[in-house]
Amino acid sequence: MSGDDDRTAPALPDEPVPLAQPVVRRPTVLVVGSGFAGLKVTEHLERLLPADAAEIVLATPTGVMVYTPLLPQVAAGILEPRHIAIANRAVLGRTRIRLAHVRSVDLAARTATLLHQNGDTATISFDRLVLAPGAQTRTLDIPGLAEHGRGLKNLAEAIYVRDHVLRELERANDTDDLDERRARLTFVVVGAGYTGTEVAAQLMRTTRRAAARLPRLDPADVRWVLCDQADRVLPGLSESLGRKAATVLKRRGVEVRLGISVERVEADRVVLAGETVRCHTVVWAAGVTPSPLMATLGLPTEEGRLVVDACLRAPQDEHVFALGDAAAAPDLTKPKGTLTGQTAQHAIRQAPVAARNVAASLGHGTARPYKHHDLGFVVDLGGLSAVADPLHLTLSGLPAAAVTRGYHLLSIPSIGSRLRVTSDWLLDGILPRQLAPLSVQSAGDATIAQAESTQIYG
Ligand SMILES: Cc1cc2nc3c(=O)[nH]c(=O)nc-3n(C[C@H](O)[C@H](O)[C@H](O)COP(=O)(O)OP(=O)(O)OC[C@H]3O[C@@H](n4cnc5c(N)ncnc54)[C@H](O)[C@@H]3O)c2cc1C
């Protein structure tokens, strides 16, 4: 019979044997996305969590944070694309950056799958997950939209739109077919929110200037049509702002069609309810929808945004935090049930709160809820035209333009980028705008699905 009783007791060593040192693993905080919310929250986490307290990992497909409110000015050829892109590494220190999309998350195993641009995948473990993947262009099930509609949610799309409209002008100049010329000189923008309104207003100026330089074109033949299902311009913002923006659009010659929906998009036309507009350009700016990643988590969502409490934490999983456009956070300044708006203003301000609460969950400091009163909105219509309601005081014309540009300069989170944007604005005032297509992207790369990687989740 064998058993403990039969074992011979080992001889005691003369010298004490050193005990093996336990391996202390630092918890990993995984931040997803390097936009307004993701880059800022990572920066704050570096400050709040001592280096030996946690490893911080940022997973993001690009090495930059894009200052999206100025994308229409990139499309209009006013700003250089790189000037509104803030390098992640210029802001961050010890954070490990993984240049990849997070394609899926296994909350039970606390792992995430990374998808690199070349198709390679990798798995990463985390102890805290901070989700800030933002939103993407909201598309509808409209025939032809996926093939022919162009979004304006990232730099690649803004560069493509600029190039595309300039190419259309060249082709209009080139053709002897007057119907084709008219179609190529017609540009349709769907969505009269701030993005669509800025695009139509600013690109009308750009394309008329460019047309004036082409020998066979009359700038007056350039048409921009802005349409929306809603019954007014800037439907999400105050009525007075919408009225003032509509006046500027009218003065500039933009055709505004309200209360109208798109039925079909084809390569050379867009079919609106009751009307066909021949054109080769449809900029789709009809709102955004949260990153599809949020719906794959198995946690409650509201209109695709991950439900979080006022501390930006998922109530069903205390290891998960979310902020920015992809989070459904309660707005404590408004009636119960109201969510914070999907704006840069909220994304930036949620970042320090989320970082503080993640740190608190790891034993560093105390948590606090997010609360911020909206400061109003600015809409740059190009030149000296803008509308703005800072602190809910409606402005237009020069005062609004000054407030708008000042607001952007203060909000760009990098002194270098502020200087570059300022120099672009100054140079645009004194030099002729460079209006030649670069033709560096193919049309296939510029579909919304391709440019925004909407179909990688599964
Ligand atoms: C043209 C335009 C104009 C705008 N103008 C204004 C304005 O004037 N004022 C205002 O307040 N707001 C404005 N907005 C809205 C504002 O840009 C957003 O509210 C803000 O960007 C939200 O910040 P975010 O960090 O949540 O998302 P984003 O800034 O969009 O950042 C998301 C980040 O996540 C990354 N990402 C996406 N998916 C994944 C993934 N699966 N894995 C890893 N990373 C991922 C993206 O690459 C990006 O880095 C504008 C938006 C647009 C498009």
Side-chain angles (χ1 to χ4, degrees):
M1 186 183 152
S2 71
D4 287 348
D5 296 346
D6 293 333
R7 268 195 243 135
T8 319
L12 286 173
D14 296 338
E15 297 289 328
V17 178
L19 291 172
Q21 290 295 313
V23 179
V24 183
R25 195 183 67 82
R26 289 180 301 163
T28 299
V29 179
L30 172 61
V31 180
V32 180
S34 66
F36 281 90
L39 185 59
K40 263 269 169 273
V41 79
T42 312
E43 194 186 353
H44 281 276
L45 283 168
E46 283 192 351
R47 277 192 218 132
L48 293 172
L49 287 170
D52 59 358
E55 182 181 25
I56 304 167
V57 180
L58 172 64
T60 174
T62 66
V64 295
M65 173 235 156
V66 176
Y67 188 80
T68 45
L70 291 177
L71 283 174
Q73 298 198 32
V74 171
I78 300 167
L79 297 178
E80 273 305 308
R82 281 181 304 119
H83 293 178
I84 64 161
I86 292 96
N88 295 335
R89 291 212 183 272
V91 176
L92 302 176
R94 67 187 160 97
T95 296
R96 183 172 170 199
I97 299 177
R98 307 288 303 262
L99 221 49
H101 277 97
V102 168
R103 184 166 72 178
S104 61
V105 174
D106 183 338
L107 286 178
R110 294 218 205 115
T111 58
T113 306
L114 303 181
L115 175 67
H116 291 272
Q117 198 181 28
N118 67 354
D120 289 352
T121 57
T123 302
I124 178 172
S125 300
F126 61 81
D127 299 278
R128 296 290 180 278
L129 179 64
V130 185
L131 292 156
Q136 56 192 40
T137 300
R138 183 178 59 211
T139 51
L140 307 169
D141 201 11
I142 293 172
L145 176 61
E147 294 84 10
H148 308 296
R150 303 293 175 229
L152 200 80
K153 192 71 188 75
N154 58 36
L155 272 184
E157 292 177 313
I159 295 168
Y160 183 83
V161 167
R162 173 194 174 278
D163 258 31
H164 172 79
V165 296
L166 295 176
R167 252 193 322 267
E168 286 306 299
L169 295 181
E170 290 285 357
R171 292 191 66 178
N173 183 63
D174 191 35
T175 183
D176 293 321
D177 177 334
L178 290 185
D179 283 342
E180 185 189 345
R181 178 174 293 171
R182 255 192 297 280
R184 293 203 184 276
L185 290 179
T186 302
F187 304 94
V188 173
V189 180
V190 183
Y194 51 78
T195 300
T197 299
E198 287 194 1
V199 167
Q202 304 221 20
L203 271 86
M204 171 61 109
R205 294 181 87 232
T206 298
T207 45
R208 286 216 163 140
R209 274 194 206 187
R213 292 189 209 160
L214 295 172
R216 303 172 73 203
L217 297 186
D218 179 351
D221 290 339
V222 174
R223 272 179 84 198
W224 279 82
V225 181
L226 174 65
C227 47
D228 201 302
Q229 270 182 329
D231 59 1
R232 68 179 180 88
V233 171
L234 300 179
L237 307 182
S238 76
E239 276 192 36
S240 54
L241 224 51
R243 260 197 314 275
K244 286 184 188 298
T247 308
V248 175
L249 290 169
K250 198 170 166 200
R251 209 170 50 224
R252 202 161 284 168
V254 174
E255 297 169 36
V256 180
R257 309 277 168 81
L258 298 170
I260 200 163
S261 53
V262 175
E263 285 179 357
R264 203 168 68 244
V265 185
E266 295 178 20
D268 63 353
R269 71 200 59 208
V270 53
V271 181
L272 306 171
E275 185 188 356
T276 296
V277 180
R278 286 211 54 204
C279 67
H280 294 254
T281 310
V282 176
V283 179
W284 191 258
V288 295
T289 184
S291 163
L293 180 64
M294 307 316 254
T296 68
L297 299 171
L299 294 175
T301 55
E302 200 166 328
E303 291 174 14
R305 299 158 77 180
L306 186 73
V307 173
V308 289
D309 60 22
C311 289
L312 307 174
R313 194 174 197 164
Q316 275 83 357
D317 189 328
E318 58 182 17
H319 304 96
V320 178
F321 294 77
L323 66 161
D325 281 2
D331 188 338
L332 299 184
T333 68
K334 303 231 167 89
K336 201 162 184 260
T338 312
L339 301 179
T340 52
Q342 288 171 295
T343 63
Q345 207 179 116
H346 281 295
I348 291 173
R349 285 171 178 80
Q350 284 173 348
V353 178
R356 178 186 170 124
N357 297 345
V358 171
S361 77
L362 292 169
H364 299 267
T366 51
R368 77 167 165 85
Y370 172 73
K371 186 173 180 182
H372 164 68
H373 287 272
D374 268 325
L375 297 174
F377 227 83
V378 296
V379 182
D380 194 330
L381 302 170
L384 298 179
S385 300
V387 294
D389 59 353
L391 306 171
H392 307 289
L393 175 75
T394 306
L395 301 175
S396 61
L398 199 55
V403 167
T404 299
R405 296 215 162 173
Y407 170 81
H408 286 315
L409 285 183
L410 287 176
S411 306
I412 297 172
S414 146
I415 292 175
S417 296
R418 285 178 197 164
L419 291 173
R420 291 186 179 102
V421 166
T422 308
S423 74
D424 281 352
W425 281 337
L426 291 173
L427 290 176
D428 192 56
I430 52 176
L431 291 178
R433 204 172 282 176
Q434 205 222 33
L435 295 173
L438 299 172
S439 301
V440 288
Q441 293 154 304
S442 74
D445 287 341
T447 60
I448 292 170
Q450 195 64 26
E452 299 185 23
S453 303
T454 62
Q455 281 158 11
I456 60 168
Y457 307 94

